Amino acid sequence: MSAGADLLLITNSDAGTADREAVDAAVAVLREGAETEVRATSGPAELDDLLARAGDRTIVVAGGDGSIHAVVQALYDREDLAGRTLALIPLGTGNDFARTLGVPLEPEAAAHAVLAGTPRRTDLVVDDGEQVTVNSVHLGAGAEAGKRGARWKARLGRIGYPIGALQTAISPPSLRVLVEVDGEVVVDVDQPVLMVAVGNGASVGGGTELTPGAEPHDGQVDVLVATPVSPVARLGYLLRLPFGRHEEHADVRILRGRTVRVSGTPFDCNSDGEIEGPVRSRTWRVLPAAYAMVVPPR
């Protein structure tokens, strides 16, 4: 970042003691190199009010994927995202977008990276309901695993994600959906689908590289489609998933594109950890270089 840049650090009013201590440590580093205001918000109205008064400062989000999602969504809704620069101090359970960007997961190291880093134009995924996805959206087994994992995450942290995936492996969902990437049919409704993922970032669930080649600066998303048919094949896929070995499965395809449409039987969507649905149709499009994220020096 340029010397003397002003920062607005946004954190969660409901953060626990450990997170507050982590924020304090990060702020101490940030104030060595920049004028830094720290504000806590407890909901969308407070967040919107704060962003309205952000001026041209770099917005530093202290939180996880859900926190950066909320800030980007609020800026997008305000038509105030273009030209904005954001940075991240990872405090979530998964911190998957930080992993993709190469942001250190330790708060003080992340703060040093904010001061030394460079803004880089970053893509955004937006659906037909004008809801954003910063990192990844997935449906089918992935969304089900996310729902089940959330029940464990509060108690066990990151390990809750693989527990959810293993529980889903016992009784996996099956969708009948039409999947189209840039207008081309990838899967028709006559073929059962276990999972679809639209990846702007590489990983979900605290480091599981669901779409390992996804790059949030190239104007495209990576689209994973998993279609194992037999119970044994489905179990094999889902058991590989927590360990990032699902690409080895014969019934997995990963494509790249700018628009993705899924329609058919009702499905839930997990966008940056937030569950929505069920819906029968959803279209996602890439907005290239929608805003800038501060990334560490290479």
Side-chain angles (χ1 to χ4, degrees):
M1 289 176 53
S2 60
D6 289 344
L7 308 176
L8 171 62
L9 185 142
I10 300 176
T11 188
N12 189 337
S13 297
D14 298 326
T17 300
D19 280 352
R20 289 196 297 271
E21 292 174 352
V23 169
D24 290 343
V27 169
V29 171
L30 293 175
R31 285 178 171 162
E32 293 174 0
E35 187 72 26
T36 304
E37 179 184 2
V38 181
R39 294 293 301 270
T41 63
S42 60
E46 282 189 12
L47 176 60
D48 191 63
D49 182 61
L50 180 58
L51 292 174
R53 295 181 282 107
D56 60 359
R57 290 177 290 180
T58 294
I59 298 170
V60 184
V61 180
D65 293 330
S67 297
I68 189 74
H69 175 110
V71 171
V72 172
Q73 181 73 65
L75 289 169
Y76 180 81
D77 289 344
R78 293 177 51 81
E79 300 183 352
D80 190 25
L81 185 60
R84 281 288 183 187
T85 298
L86 280 67
L88 187 57
I89 304 293
L91 294 180
T93 304
N95 297 315
D96 287 290
F97 198 52
R99 295 171 193 272
T100 289
L101 296 173
V103 174
L105 301 185
E106 194 277 323
E108 289 180 80
H112 282 293
V114 171
L115 295 177
T118 303
R120 187 173 183 188
R121 304 305 299 176
T122 300
D123 304 334
L124 183 66
V125 180
V126 181
D127 70 21
D128 46 5
E130 298 304 303
Q131 298 300 301
V132 308
T133 294
V134 172
N135 180 62
S136 180
V137 58
H138 45 97
L139 55 100
E144 183 64 25
K147 284 197 296 186
R148 297 187 181 195
R151 301 165 190 163
W152 295 94
K153 187 174 72 169
R155 287 182 289 169
L156 301 177
R158 182 180 163 191
I159 197 174
Y161 293 110
I163 290 175
L166 292 172
Q167 288 180 327
T168 302
I170 297 171
S171 57
S174 179
L175 303 177
R176 294 280 185 166
V177 290
L178 176 71
V179 181
E180 301 168 272
V181 177
D182 289 345
E184 298 292 327
V185 175
V186 177
V187 176
D188 212 333
V189 292
D190 59 351
Q191 184 175 13
V193 171
L194 180 64
M195 182 176 184
V196 179
V198 179
N200 193 41
S203 71
V204 300
T208 297
E209 293 194 339
L210 191 60
T211 49
E215 166 62 57
H217 314 289
D218 62 4
Q220 294 184 301
V221 287
D222 282 25
V223 185
L224 176 145
V225 182
T227 57
V229 176
S230 72
V232 172
R234 290 172 181 240
L235 181 62
Y237 171 83
L238 288 166
L239 289 176
R240 286 183 174 94
L241 188 59
F243 308 102
R245 296 178 52 209
H246 52 288
E247 280 191 290
E248 302 170 5
H249 200 284
D251 298 314
V252 171
R253 298 175 63 187
I254 295 183
L255 308 91
R256 313 196 75 225
R258 293 178 179 271
T259 62
V260 183
R261 181 172 183 265
V262 180
S263 58
T265 55
F267 53 87
D268 290 333
C269 301
N270 183 328
S271 172
D272 298 334
E274 301 295 322
I275 305 292
E276 180 203 9
V279 297
R280 287 186 173 274
S281 177
R282 182 66 80 230
T283 300
W284 296 271
R285 67 189 189 277
V286 180
L287 298 184
Y291 65 109
M293 285 294 303
V294 176
V295 298
R298 297 182 177 179

